[in-house]
Amino acid sequence: MGTQSEALKNIKNKIRRQKVFSQIKHDKNKERHTLRKERAKEERANPELKDKRIVENIPDTIDSKRIYDETIGTEVEGKDEFDKYFTNLGKDPKILLTTNFNARNAAYEFADILMDFLPNVTFVKRKQGYQIPDMVQFCNNREYSTIIIINEDKKKVTGLTFINLPEGPTFYFSISSVTEGKKIAGHGKAQDFLPELVLNNFNSRLGKTIGRLFQSIFPHKPELQGRQVVTLHNQRDYIFFRRHRYIFRNEEKVGLQELGPQFTLKLRRFQKGIRGDIVWEHKPDMERDKKKFYL
């Protein structure tokens, strides 16, 4: 490779240099395809060679190079603010959904999207001057378990705030890539069943806390006859929301039909109590190390 680079540098004519470079690239591609054909022929004759290659040639990814986190695999110690949900199995969550001040149509439209899959949720329009402590008192007097606030700016939904009741904690997530169900190709129509909840890859202590937050807004017993599942998949600290329905084609084949919506969350802040001391906050310099993840 070094010899070829030196040879290209010695060619002064730009057009000639480009032709030589294209020929070198063509020859490399031809050689690679020839080797692939020969390898495929050998593997057809001896399938064990293919199995060995697959085992040995595991590609490196950012996920596989993740920097070790000593909290991975550890359970939540003792009781936390969500313990009430996990110990009182006879009581389902009760959610109040609202917006920030001076919300526009985008926030109300997104509220409709959330209410399509969130169980036992009530939407209340945010009144001017109605502060978060007032909302918390209102909800605690009526036995709500969670407040969800839709944050909208410049006619665009930018985030979601979750307040666990009666005394916190508070979480703020930015939101992006929102797609309504009706805009998803081949989408199905959701029915009024409580969905099953699937949480993927919430491995660190902070990740497990976020997982418990999401668990706390869904009832303990899903209605499995509805065949609907909500998935929250964490990958590199981005949380992807998807909703599907199981399709049983026959006794052996099971498919998935997407119902929507789709959106992506990213944790920005985790606070004690009702917006109290900051426990964890995402900062711009955290993006420098691409192999460090927090959830």
Side-chain angles (χ1 to χ4, degrees):
M1 183 65 186
T3 304
Q4 292 176 343
S5 299
E6 291 296 328
L8 287 172
K9 288 180 181 178
N10 292 330
I11 300 175
K12 303 300 181 183
N13 184 280
K14 181 179 178 180
I15 296 176
R16 174 63 180 164
R17 188 168 63 248
Q18 288 175 340
K19 286 183 178 179
V20 173
F21 176 77
S22 297
Q23 185 62 44
I24 292 172
K25 191 174 181 180
H26 173 74
D27 292 342
K28 284 184 177 180
N29 288 336
K30 188 175 180 181
E31 181 182 0
R32 186 171 66 252
H33 288 305
T34 301
L35 291 173
R36 278 185 183 172
K37 287 181 180 179
E38 292 176 353
R39 186 180 64 202
K41 185 177 179 181
E42 292 173 356
E43 290 177 349
R44 282 195 296 270
N46 185 1
E48 292 182 0
L49 292 175
K50 183 176 182 180
D51 296 336
K52 181 180 178 182
R53 175 175 60 84
I54 292 173
V55 170
E56 293 178 350
N57 295 344
I58 299 176
D60 288 330
T61 64
I62 293 178
D63 297 283
S64 67
K65 293 180 178 180
R66 176 174 182 164
I67 294 174
Y68 175 72
D69 186 332
E70 65 278 3
T71 68
I72 288 181
T74 60
E75 298 298 326
V76 177
E77 297 177 358
K79 293 184 178 182
D80 67 356
E81 294 86 344
F82 301 104
D83 192 64
K84 184 178 179 181
Y85 167 82
F86 291 96
T87 55
N88 190 358
L89 302 180
K91 188 173 182 180
D92 286 334
K94 183 180 178 182
I95 302 169
L96 183 133
L97 178 65
T98 187
T99 67
N100 58 343
F101 292 129
N102 302 317
R104 306 289 184 88
N105 285 340
Y108 297 128
E109 289 170 358
F110 190 66
D112 289 337
I113 291 174
L114 294 182
M115 293 179 71
D116 188 45
F117 65 84
L118 284 176
N120 202 14
V121 58
T122 302
F123 178 78
V124 176
K125 188 173 182 180
R126 182 84 169 266
K127 294 181 180 179
Q128 189 70 31
Y130 207 60
Q131 303 295 331
I132 286 181
D134 301 322
M135 295 166 55
V136 170
Q137 183 179 356
F138 173 89
C139 290
N140 283 338
N141 291 339
R142 291 160 179 80
E143 297 187 335
Y144 282 92
S145 59
T146 308
I147 299 174
I148 301 177
I149 303 171
I150 300 170
N151 298 281
E152 175 261 337
D153 184 45
K154 297 178 181 178
K155 300 181 181 181
K156 184 178 180 181
V157 174
T158 57
L160 289 175
T161 300
F162 292 79
I163 303 175
N164 183 60
L165 299 175
E167 298 178 343
T170 303
F171 303 84
Y172 174 69
F173 296 84
S174 60
I175 189 168
S176 59
S177 305
V178 179
T179 304
E180 295 180 63
K182 62 184 180 182
K183 294 183 179 180
I184 298 172
H187 70 91
K189 185 176 181 181
Q191 296 177 309
D192 191 21
F193 289 101
L194 298 177
E196 179 184 357
L197 178 65
V198 175
L199 299 174
N200 290 333
N201 207 27
F202 294 88
N203 296 324
S204 70
R205 187 176 298 150
L206 176 60
K208 290 183 185 298
T209 299
I210 300 304
R212 286 168 73 84
L213 164 69
F214 291 132
Q215 284 178 287
S216 72
I217 62 177
F218 286 90
H220 297 281
K221 293 183 179 180
E223 295 174 334
L224 299 178
Q225 68 270 27
R227 298 177 284 112
Q228 294 181 176
V229 57
V230 165
T231 302
L232 288 157
H233 174 74
N234 170 48
Q235 186 168 355
R236 303 176 192 174
D237 290 345
Y238 287 91
I239 302 169
F240 299 92
F241 177 96
R242 297 293 185 269
R243 181 170 58 149
H244 295 87
R245 178 192 291 118
Y246 294 115
I247 303 293
F248 297 96
R249 295 188 171 91
N250 54 47
E251 293 182 357
E252 297 180 354
K253 290 186 178 181
V254 179
L256 288 175
Q257 181 183 37
E258 189 158 8
L259 304 176
Q262 298 177 354
F263 55 85
T264 304
L265 300 173
K266 187 172 179 67
L267 179 65
R268 298 294 176 176
R269 192 166 52 252
F270 164 26
Q271 295 170 266
K272 290 182 178 179
I274 309 301
R275 305 187 78 172
D277 295 338
I278 294 175
V279 178
W280 185 91
E281 185 172 22
H282 180 272
K283 297 179 180 178
D285 60 0
M286 291 179 175
E287 302 287 351
R288 293 177 184 173
D289 193 340
K290 301 298 183 183
K291 294 176 286 185
K292 176 67 175 176
F293 308 123
Y294 299 90
L295 302 187

